[in-house]
């Protein structure tokens, strides 16, 4: 069974550009999480969805960040406009939220904003 | 609020040495506790978990025991290998379907 799929794996962009990160959760999972990893702050939750509905977006830094989950098999995290301080590794994770607390992580997208 | 504190790294050991990485937590109720491992260039993988007090999680020679009285979940391995070199994260979850709360991570480097 395929794990969580994220694309792109690496993204280099210039300040002010729009960035879109993509995630495909494990088939059958109904919860999806976006985390950000930086040296300074470690791993922190940005937003999570249950059954495609955003439940907690309190970790989204500011209005420049937005996330969508149009269906059970796809989610996007968009940054517009991007800034150098957004440089980080962004992870997507999924699970079958009703029955388990174990989350399965994708390989991450390393974003560099110049 | 809920939080996880783990020892700062890096931890540098020789092959076959004993490993302990300390982790303590603050949480309301009875959280589930986890250790995740991140190998270079990869995402996080679940290493082991425990869901109630006195439970012991184990996997690949690693162990951790859920100690409610000391609010701890220390990771141990009796004999580390070079292939264990990675970043280890302690985490908790207070309710299924909600987000994990992670510690800052501890980098382990094992030399032969």
């Amino acid at each position: 069974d395929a794990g969580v799929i994220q694309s792109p794996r690496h993204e280099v962009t210039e300040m002010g550009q729009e960035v879109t990160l993509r995630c495909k959760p494990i088939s059958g999972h109904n919860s999806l999480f976006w985390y950000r990893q930086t040296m300074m702050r470690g791993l922190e939750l940005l937003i999570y969805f249950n059954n495609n509905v955003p439940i907690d977006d309190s970790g989204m830094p500011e209005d420049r960040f937005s996330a969508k989950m149009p269906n059970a098999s796809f989610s996007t995290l968009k940054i517009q406009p991007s800034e150098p301080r957004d440089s980080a590794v962004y992870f997507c994770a999924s699970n079958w939220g009703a029955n388990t607390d174990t989350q399965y992580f994708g390989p991450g997208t390393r974003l560099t904003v110049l | 609020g809920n939080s996880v504190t783990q020892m700062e790294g890096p931890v540098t050991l020789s092959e076959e040495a004993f490993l302990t990485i300390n982790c303590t937590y603050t949480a309301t109720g009875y959280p589930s506790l986890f250790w995740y491992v991140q190998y270079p260039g990869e995402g996080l993988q679940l290493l082991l978990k425990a869901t109630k007090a006195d439970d012991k999680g184990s996997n690949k020679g690693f162990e951790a025991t859920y100690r409610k009285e000391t609010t701890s979940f220390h990771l141990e391995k009796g004999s580390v290998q070079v292939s264990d070199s990675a970043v280890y994260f302690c985490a908790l979850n207070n309710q299924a379907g909600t987000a994990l709360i992670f510690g800052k991570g501890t980098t382990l480097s094992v030399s032969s």
Side-chain angles (χ1 to χ4, degrees):
Chain A
D1 187 18
V4 175
I5 299 172
Q6 291 187 246
S7 64
R9 292 293 308 275
H10 302 274
E11 177 79 31
V12 180
T13 190
E14 293 190 347
M15 182 174 62
Q17 297 298 306
E18 177 180 294
V19 175
T20 300
L21 310 181
R22 297 173 175 80
C23 175
K24 176 178 171 56
I26 292 173
S27 178
H29 284 186
N30 70 336
S31 292
L32 184 140
F33 305 80
W34 283 101
Y35 293 91
R36 179 171 66 176
Q37 183 180 37
T38 62
M39 290 294 292
M40 290 296 294
R41 300 172 67 89
L43 267 164
E44 52 183 351
L45 176 75
L46 297 176
I47 186 171
Y48 78 91
F49 298 82
N50 279 344
N51 296 317
N52 311 337
V53 176
I55 301 300
D56 181 357
D57 65 355
S58 59
M60 296 286 265
E62 49 199 88
D63 291 346
R64 298 185 297 106
F65 285 68
S66 62
K68 294 182 179 180
M69 192 165 186
N71 58 62
S73 59
F74 184 64
S75 177
T76 60
L77 178 67
K78 185 175 294 186
I79 308 172
Q80 166 65 18
S82 58
E83 296 182 3
R85 60 190 168 128
D86 302 330
S87 297
V89 181
Y90 292 80
F91 288 105
C92 177
S94 71
N95 72 358
W96 177 236
N99 295 327
T100 181
D101 44 21
T102 300
Q103 296 180 14
Y104 298 85
F105 283 73
T109 295
R110 180 174 295 277
L111 173 65
T112 303
V113 183
L114 303 174
Chain B
N2 300 321
S3 66
V4 175
T5 303
Q6 61 182 105
M7 62 188 288
E8 297 283 333
V11 174
T12 303
L13 295 173
S14 298
E15 207 165 22
E16 300 183 2
F18 183 86
L19 168 71
T20 300
I21 301 178
N22 290 338
C23 171
T24 58
Y25 68 91
T26 301
T28 55
Y30 303 94
S32 293
L33 302 175
F34 305 81
W35 278 100
Y36 277 82
V37 58
Q38 183 180 27
Y39 297 103
E42 299 184 11
L44 279 72
Q45 303 174 24
L46 178 68
L47 180 60
L48 53 84
K49 64 182 278 190
T51 58
K52 62 182 186 295
D54 299 324
D55 268 3
K56 177 186 286 188
S58 61
N59 186 25
K60 299 181 181 180
F62 291 89
E63 294 183 339
T65 301
Y66 190 144
R67 301 286 188 200
K68 190 163 178 62
E69 64 275 13
T70 54
T71 61
S72 65
F73 193 54
H74 303 322
L75 182 68
E76 297 182 337
K77 186 174 185 182
S79 176
V80 293
Q81 305 300 311
V82 172
S83 57
D84 294 327
S85 298
V87 181
Y88 292 82
F89 293 90
C90 185
L92 71 82
N93 182 261
N94 239 336
Q95 181 180 348
T98 64
L100 291 166
I101 296 170
F102 287 92
K104 289 290 183 67
T106 302
T107 299
L108 170 65
S109 178
V110 180
S111 58
S112 57

